[in-house]
Amino acid sequence: HTLYRDVLGVWQIDAVNKVVKVRFTDANLPWCDGRIPAPGGYVDLRWAREGNNLKYHLSVPAGYRIEIENPGNYALQREP
């Protein structure tokens, strides 16, 4: 759980309210990739960092809402 939360950035999967909370922290890694089972499917997150830019791909089960926190103040770019 700590790796999913603190390194990958999947902070919380709220199955009751159907919300996935993502938090891009200041992990000292150039990239990270992970898949977490959730009710109705999977949460897939992949990100790559170059300087202050962070490109990411995020998919969640149908019906889920996404909330993103960016305490690292990265320039975020979501990829399909």
Side-chain angles (χ1 to χ4, degrees):
H1 183 269
T2 299
L3 290 175
Y4 291 132
R5 184 189 68 211
D6 298 336
V7 178
L8 181 60
V10 178
W11 199 253
Q12 181 182 33
I13 300 172
D14 182 345
V16 173
N17 296 306
K18 294 197 172 199
V19 177
V20 174
K21 294 182 181 181
V22 174
R23 188 171 193 214
F24 293 114
T25 60
D26 205 8
N28 193 20
L29 294 171
W31 64 273
C32 194
D33 189 352
R35 173 179 250 201
I36 304 169
Y42 292 93
V43 173
D44 290 302
L45 177 59
R46 175 181 67 243
W47 58 260
R49 186 175 52 139
E50 290 183 20
N52 195 44
N53 298 313
L54 191 140
K55 294 180 181 180
Y56 70 97
H57 168 80
L58 174 62
S59 65
V60 299
Y64 277 73
R65 188 168 45 90
I66 299 167
E67 293 180 5
I68 294 182
E69 293 181 28
N70 184 17
N73 292 319
Y74 293 109
L76 299 178
Q77 180 181 348
R78 187 169 182 181
E79 297 182 328

